[in-house]
Amino acid sequence: MAAAVAVGLTLTWPLALHPEQLWSVRLPGPRPGLFGAPPASTFAGNDSLQTMHVNRVVIDNVRQLREPYLDLVSGAAGPEPLRTTSLDLPWTVVQAPLLPLVGLVAAYNWTLVLSSVLTVLCAFGLLRRHTRYPLLALAGALAYAFVPGRMFQLSLHFNAVMWWAFPAAAWSLEEMLEHHRSGTRWLAPGLWLVGVTLTVGLSGEYHHSLYLSGMIGFLVVWRLAAAVLRRTPVPLGPGVLALGAVAVTDAYVLGSFRWVFGGNVAGTNGRYEEVVRYAPRGLLTLVHKNLGELGEGLVYLGWPLALLALAGGVAVLVRRRAGPLPYAVLAVPVLFLTFGPAADLALQRALARVGLPHGLEPYRLLFDGFSFLKLQRVTARMLVLAALLLVLLAVVAVDGAAGWVARRWGPGRFGRVAPAAAALVLVLGTGLLLNDYRMFRAVLRPAETGNRVTVALQAAGDQAGPFLGLPVDGPTVPWNAASTYLASQTGRRTLNAYNQSPAPWLEARAATLDPLNRGRVDDAALAVLRATGTRQVVVIDEPHIYCCGEWRGVVDGLVASGNFRLVVDDPPFALLELVGPA
């Protein structure tokens, strides 16, 4: 526990030292600011800002006994409210009491730190069952929790805070089956498994819920089949409990998804071109630092960990070790799904080399055949499971090697230090304990940038009506998150929305308001503002839209039109007010 906290705080040090500031990473490459850290003088919208907004909405809904899925803040003044399935459990429960004490940003940042610590602890619990050496289990847990892919996602996306659930579910499942096999009470670990599974489902992370269901379902069916083949007692009760939890969770996930999104989501999900765009560039991206498009193809683990995992997988298959064997088998389809189109291409090349027909595209066939895969634009998100399986196999390999050394040299000095030395090689050799900071650098920026504008918005109160944030774009564009975050910080509603609910009216409204993004005012845009009771407009220096001071030209253009007056100028925000009757 102490090591998990110490290392977790070390590798997420910006959050621990400055919890009140926004945290991001600066990616290497020609376009580091697109999804990484923006220029210091700007304020970029991204998914982390939207997560803060949604969490605030969920907490307020529960406090006021409203439907938790409602978003009454963004997309204001429309014919119907927007909804979201992202309840972000268990972290909204942690944030709720912290919000009035430390504020929105600090409450959110502490969930990032705590999720990292919890990921280490749960991974340690699982890996400890597969090695005789506690230090080796801790090394593997640290390697899993701080892979570069997770650290990148942690700075941007909600899904990284749920990595703890996968080792936690596998750990509780193994404990339940072991208790059943030994004839002792197995219900307690079974209830932990149910709790973990339901929590992930209720969190609203659609992909992680189905990844977890697939992992649990595979492991349970494997154990049931193995018991039948070996003619040992079949763990029917534990199996029914685990599969029942999966069924209930999936029913909730699919039901809530259909309730909120009508069975489909707006935007570019479901297009195979998007999968190709974001997928890892090739199978060697496990060992080469290739970020992929916008960093989303980052699955780098390093040569040492990959080779150790391969050695562990071979050893498990050859020796048919019952404990890790299902994980070794599961790693093959999981890696295939992680790479997606790159796996298809590798298979085609292999078939061509041996003179066989090479037009086969199994991932494409799966994508076209299963609605679940159709909604997965980013195959690399399955790294949450792929990394766990590879780390487990690497730990098994190192455990076997350390055990061999200890047996060969006996209880002497070298035999005693071999496990510790092997554990250090596993972590330090991959560079994961240091988060491989050669790839990207942590960056902090003040959450209260443009504080005079936020104070003015808050002082006006929601009785002043919603505000419009510029740039405004379609509701599936993440740059709107700068405005929704500002709304949650100030207790105001906003016309902007970053939401994938099918809402043609919201798309049409954004298109009508689009001229304002360029500092041009027309009658249609003014009519929308007046019809929605919107008198205040915040122009945000959003670096994905405005470059090199372009936002200042937007402010000047709106004021020069005679329809707006400048109220507060506090870069990267400027607050304008509509002139004339509402």
Side-chain angles (χ1 to χ4, degrees):
M1 175 69 174
V5 172
V7 177
L9 292 177
T10 299
L11 294 185
T12 58
W13 62 268
L15 306 183
L17 294 180
H18 305 282
E20 76 290 348
Q21 297 196 39
L22 299 171
W23 178 56
S24 55
V25 296
R26 188 178 301 281
L27 298 175
R31 296 188 296 167
L34 194 54
F35 259 97
S41 61
T42 63
F43 194 85
N46 58 44
D47 283 8
S48 65
L49 297 183
Q50 181 66 9
T51 299
M52 292 185 217
H53 161 71
V54 171
N55 289 1
R56 180 65 176 265
V57 166
V58 170
I59 292 169
D60 289 344
N61 284 340
V62 172
R63 283 175 173 166
Q64 298 174 31
L65 302 179
R66 290 194 299 254
E67 176 190 329
Y69 308 116
L70 285 175
D71 182 357
L72 301 178
V73 174
S74 66
E80 56 187 353
L82 299 177
R83 285 182 167 83
T84 176
T85 60
S86 299
L87 304 183
D88 200 3
L89 294 176
W91 304 113
T92 44
V93 177
V94 176
Q95 280 184 258
L98 292 176
L99 269 176
L101 300 177
V102 299
L104 179 64
V105 175
Y108 173 76
N109 282 343
W110 276 114
T111 66
L112 303 185
V113 175
L114 294 174
S115 72
S116 297
V117 173
L118 183 58
T119 300
V120 173
L121 295 177
C122 292
F124 173 81
L126 172 65
L127 297 175
R128 186 66 180 90
R129 294 182 52 83
H130 295 273
T131 178
R132 294 157 288 185
Y133 309 113
L135 183 59
L136 178 57
L138 177 60
L142 294 173
Y144 172 68
F146 297 108
V147 297
R150 179 178 177 271
M151 294 301 288
F152 168 69
Q153 296 291 338
L154 193 68
S155 72
L156 285 176
H157 295 287
F158 155 59
N159 58 65
V161 300
M162 300 305 294
W163 277 46
W164 63 272
F166 289 81
W171 180 15
S172 56
L173 177 61
E174 288 191 9
E175 288 283 349
M176 178 176 64
L177 294 173
E178 181 178 311
H179 280 272
H180 180 271
R181 187 167 52 250
S182 63
T184 56
R185 295 181 178 179
W186 53 266
L187 189 58
L191 291 177
W192 276 111
L193 175 62
V194 171
V196 170
T197 308
L198 292 176
T199 298
V200 175
L202 289 169
S203 74
E205 223 306 321
Y206 176 83
H207 295 104
H208 277 19
S209 299
L210 297 184
Y211 298 161
L212 187 68
S213 297
M215 183 192 78
I216 294 172
F218 177 87
L219 294 176
V220 169
V221 171
W222 180 282
R223 301 297 185 185
L224 292 175
V228 171
L229 293 174
R230 294 173 182 170
R231 297 181 180 180
T232 56
V234 178
L236 190 59
V240 169
L241 180 65
L243 294 179
V246 166
V248 171
T249 298
D250 289 351
Y252 166 79
V253 169
L254 297 176
S256 62
F257 186 85
R258 182 166 294 277
W259 163 248
V260 170
F261 298 115
N264 195 11
V265 295
T268 54
N269 287 282
R271 299 178 186 173
Y272 193 68
E273 295 77 12
E274 289 289 289
V275 178
V276 174
R277 176 188 178 192
Y278 290 114
R281 296 292 186 258
L283 301 185
L284 289 179
T285 49
L286 275 177
V287 293
H288 293 162
K289 300 169 191 155
N290 191 312
L291 299 173
E293 181 73 12
L294 306 178
E296 295 286 11
L298 181 60
V299 293
Y300 170 75
L301 298 177
W303 277 110
L305 182 57
L307 292 176
L308 285 172
L310 179 61
V314 171
V316 168
L317 292 174
V318 170
R319 297 181 180 180
R320 296 182 181 274
R321 292 183 55 181
L325 183 57
Y327 297 105
V329 175
L330 180 59
V332 176
V334 166
L335 284 172
F336 175 79
L337 293 173
T338 302
F339 285 92
D344 278 354
L345 184 59
L347 177 61
Q348 290 168 5
R349 288 173 176 169
L351 292 174
R353 285 193 183 101
V354 296
L356 294 176
H358 52 275
L360 186 62
E361 295 183 281
Y363 184 83
R364 179 64 185 268
L365 292 174
L366 291 172
F367 180 87
D368 291 336
F370 294 94
S371 58
F372 153 61
L373 287 177
K374 275 186 173 296
L375 293 176
Q376 177 177 267
R377 282 193 306 163
V378 185
T379 62
R381 298 280 174 87
M382 199 171 276
L383 182 67
V384 61
L385 182 52
L388 178 64
L389 297 174
L390 295 182
V391 166
L392 188 149
L393 293 175
V395 165
V396 169
V398 176
D399 177 85
W404 179 84
V405 170
R407 290 191 301 271
R408 180 71 180 269
W409 275 273
R413 180 179 301 174
F414 187 74
R416 287 195 299 269
V417 303
L424 291 176
V425 167
L426 176 64
V427 178
L428 298 179
T430 60
L432 296 178
L433 184 60
L434 299 176
N435 190 32
D436 205 340
Y437 280 121
R438 293 169 296 170
M439 295 184 65
F440 39 67
R441 180 168 58 87
V443 178
L444 291 170
R445 53 197 171 108
E448 298 301 327
T449 298
N451 189 52
R452 289 197 292 135
V453 170
T454 60
V455 168
L457 284 173
Q458 196 165 17
D462 201 49
Q463 64 272 13
F467 72 90
L468 170 66
L470 297 179
V472 58
D473 214 322
T476 62
V477 178
W479 322 141
N480 285 310
S483 299
T484 57
Y485 162 81
L486 193 59
S488 288
Q489 280 282 50
T490 59
R492 297 287 298 276
R493 291 172 299 140
T494 178
L495 297 189
N496 302 70
Y498 177 26
N499 189 294
Q500 292 182 315
S501 299
W505 59 270
L506 197 52
E507 293 273 6
R509 189 168 75 183
T512 303
L513 295 170
D514 180 68
L516 300 178
N517 290 328
R518 298 181 293 279
R520 301 205 320 259
V521 181
D522 59 23
D523 292 341
L526 290 176
V528 169
L529 295 180
R530 292 192 169 105
T532 56
T534 304
R535 296 195 58 83
Q536 293 179 313
V537 173
V538 180
V539 185
I540 303 169
D541 190 0
E542 216 295 331
H544 304 100
I545 302 297
Y546 302 127
C547 173
C548 312
E550 288 179 353
W551 81 286
R552 176 62 63 187
V554 173
V555 174
D556 294 342
L558 295 177
V559 173
S561 73
N563 294 287
F564 296 91
R565 67 181 183 90
L566 182 62
V567 179
V568 179
D569 188 0
D570 190 8
F573 299 153
L575 176 62
L576 282 66
E577 192 169 84
L578 189 65
V579 175

